Amino acid sequence: MRPRFLAALLFGAILIGGFKPLYLRALFGDARGDVNRPDRRTPDYPAFLQEVARHTRRGQSIAIVAPMRYWHSGYSYAYYRATYFLVGRRVIPIVDPDDSLHPERLKETDLIAVWNMPDIVGPEVLWRGHGGVLLRGTR
Amino acid sequence: MIAVLVTATQILIAGMAAARWLDPTITPRRLLGTAWLLGSGICAFILLALSLMGIVWTPMSFTLAFCVTVIALWVRCPANPTTALRAGCQPPTANRRSIAALAIDLCTLLLIVGHGAYALMVRGAEWDFWAIWGLKARVFLAHGGIDWSFLENPHHAYSHPDYPLLLPLNYVQVVLQQGEWSDRFLGLMTTFFGAALLLILRDLFEEELRRPLAAALATFAVASMAFATVGMADAPMIAFGTAALLTIRRGSLPLGSVLLGLAAFTKNEGLALMVAAAVALWAHRRSAAFRLWPAAAIAAPWLIIRAVHALPTDVVSGNLVGRALRSFARIPELARVLADHPPREPLFWIAIAAALVVYARQLQRERFVLVAVVLQLTFYLGVYLVTPYDIEWHVASSWLRLLQHVAIPFAFVALAFTAKAAVSSDADVARSAA
């Protein structure tokens, strides 16, 4: 093979191989299918947290109660998503990274945000919606 | 959108002075790209300094500190940098116009705009954005400075408290301008970092290949690789790391070492790159390695701060020695897992590997860049071997992103070899073949 042809071939292969059509699709087509949706299995949860943020004040402590029992298989998502939306509040987890459950923390918080667990009841319901309920804590 | 544009203008104003000061011979496109990179670092350090001094972040406090810094930088920068340009550092093709090159450059611009459109679509959807980079920015803004209690809280380990803060502080700067938190336009920062790197690469390719069309094609070839996941720190890491290596390669050590330091202030992988570059430079030219001291000086503040606050680094937590002793036994497992996660761009990597084999006799000329990126990859593989996590999960969640950190330096070398061979005269080819 002629050296110049081989060089051009390799140059062209790098050019074609490195090209990502995604960015042109975003401009001229539909790239929505390529966007990660972190809440695809829990579409109501961000809206619930936004409402909780609207119904609470900065500095208040809020415990997060969600149906995910284990840290790495779901509760960490619930807790971190809450930390993002409830910024300025003290978000309290009731499951630790070692999967230990800490219901006693519910007694130490100003508010309890319960999502997707209709069986949980509290002394005073402050707001209800998007699959969850905001309860006044017992502190 | 206006807040992002105001931030971008601030970053460029700060960066222009620093870029002209560090490299008076800098060419216009490289100046613009480098200005973005340096400016983002300067603005992040302004916010870090304000927080360490106990001054609450407000648009006013930031603007005052910004103005003082920028005036100081502009006073230091050379009054007439074009003198240096005239002295012979201008690219040889600077005055040659090529319609074909312009057309290819427009295609690259289209990719940049396309990435911008994609970034606006993604918003804050990426897990690592809302759990690490964006989360820190949002928490710090609410606090009015760096919230050490948040970083020290063991429940926030997932947000990687030890990660350097350049990108979260850049987000803080945008949101300070817009008044309230919104992640709608923050993804554009990823686009700007990619675009900055492409501007730098365009001039470096032209300097290397001396033909505008070949330089435009080579830039287009790596354009997609300059962009990484929206909202995360990989795009800034790619931009700082690649620009640093290629700037050092062309002999601009002061500027290259500052970019290297900013890579270390962006991601922990930047620290690894700093070491890799120092070793590669030591192997190449020992005395020059000491001239990388600005990189260490830029990386040092965050290293000291995170040590003072005892912010944990997950990969070295637990029984690191025990894991290191077992690491050799894990090599086959790592090889199997890596084989299960091949690059998303197989043709790109195969062609680069083939180019390096075909032009193996010329590799010696590029040993600084090649040694640095190979060492960097070795560090990444070493971390997988001592990881406290499940190796399969760790590789699956990071390998392809990390591979992209070294993609453009590898591609730069391969494209330079192949482009030079493809456009060289028949006499050169005959000489090369002989």
Side-chain angles (χ1 to χ4, degrees), chain A residues 3-4 6-7 10-11 13-15 17-20 23 26-27 31 34 36 38 58 77 79-81 83-84 87 93 96, chain B residues 114-115 118 125-126 129-130 138-139 142 155-158 181 183 218 221 224 345 348 351 359 415 418 421-422 424 426 429:
Chain A
R4 285 173 67 172
L6 176 64
L10 289 172
F11 187 100
I14 295 171
L15 189 149
F19 178 71
K20 292 182 187 171
Y23 305 135
L27 210 52
D34 295 287
N36 269 347
R58 295 164 64 91
Y77 158 80
Y79 174 65
Y80 276 103
R81 213 58 179 130
T83 314
Y84 184 75
V87 78
D96 274 358
Chain B
H115 185 274
Y118 178 67
E126 287 295 340
F129 172 81
W130 59 259
R138 199 169 182 178
V139 168
H155 280 114
H156 300 154
Y158 189 83
W181 179 265
D183 53 25
S224 298
E345 309 82 15
F348 176 81
Y359 302 100
L415 288 166
T418 51
S424 59
D426 287 338
V429 172

Side-chain angles (χ1 to χ4, degrees), chain B residues 97-223:
Chain B
R97 295 282 177 267
S98 158
I99 299 293
L102 183 66
I104 302 295
D105 284 338
L106 285 176
C107 291
T108 306
L109 179 64
L110 206 61
L111 275 183
I112 295 171
V113 175
H115 185 274
Y118 178 67
L120 292 177
M121 215 179 285
V122 171
R123 300 187 62 165
E126 287 295 340
W127 179 290
D128 277 10
F129 172 81
W130 59 259
I132 302 176
W133 313 101
L135 173 65
K136 284 180 188 168
R138 199 169 182 178
V139 168
F140 296 169
L141 264 163
H143 188 71
I146 296 169
D147 187 346
W148 300 110
S149 63
F150 176 87
L151 294 178
E152 289 165 355
N153 185 334
H155 280 114
H156 300 154
Y158 189 83
S159 72
H160 294 275
D162 63 310
Y163 279 10
L165 293 181
L166 184 139
L167 188 61
L169 295 179
N170 280 174
Y171 290 153
V172 165
Q173 188 184 347
V174 174
V175 183
L176 275 178
Q177 312 298 329
Q178 66 193 19
E180 64 176 12
W181 179 265
S182 164
D183 53 25
R184 188 170 174 199
F185 297 108
L186 290 182
L188 287 177
M189 299 296 277
T190 306
T191 309
F192 292 155
F193 275 104
L197 177 60
L198 292 177
L199 282 166
I200 295 169
L201 286 170
R202 180 64 175 81
D203 267 7
L204 291 180
F205 273 125
E206 190 153 327
E207 200 173 74
E208 187 71 22
L209 305 175
R210 295 168 182 265
R211 281 176 169 79
L213 178 58
L217 278 169
T219 309
F220 181 76
V222 294

Side-chain angles (χ1 to χ4, degrees), chain A residues 39 42-57 62 64 77-78 80-87 89 91 113 115 127-132 134, chain B residues 123-124 130 138 180-184:
Chain A
D39 311 303
T42 53
D44 263 358
Y45 191 51
F48 168 72
L49 292 172
Q50 276 170 341
E51 282 302 318
V52 170
R54 206 164 292 152
H55 286 84
T56 54
R57 291 190 312 275
I62 307 171
I64 301 298
Y77 158 80
Y80 276 103
R81 213 58 179 130
T83 314
Y84 184 75
F85 282 103
L86 302 178
V87 78
R89 287 85 175 155
V91 181
W115 184 72
W127 170 81
R128 189 187 294 275
H130 296 295
L134 180 65
Chain B
R123 300 187 62 165
W130 59 259
R138 199 169 182 178
E180 64 176 12
W181 179 265
S182 164
D183 53 25
R184 188 170 174 199

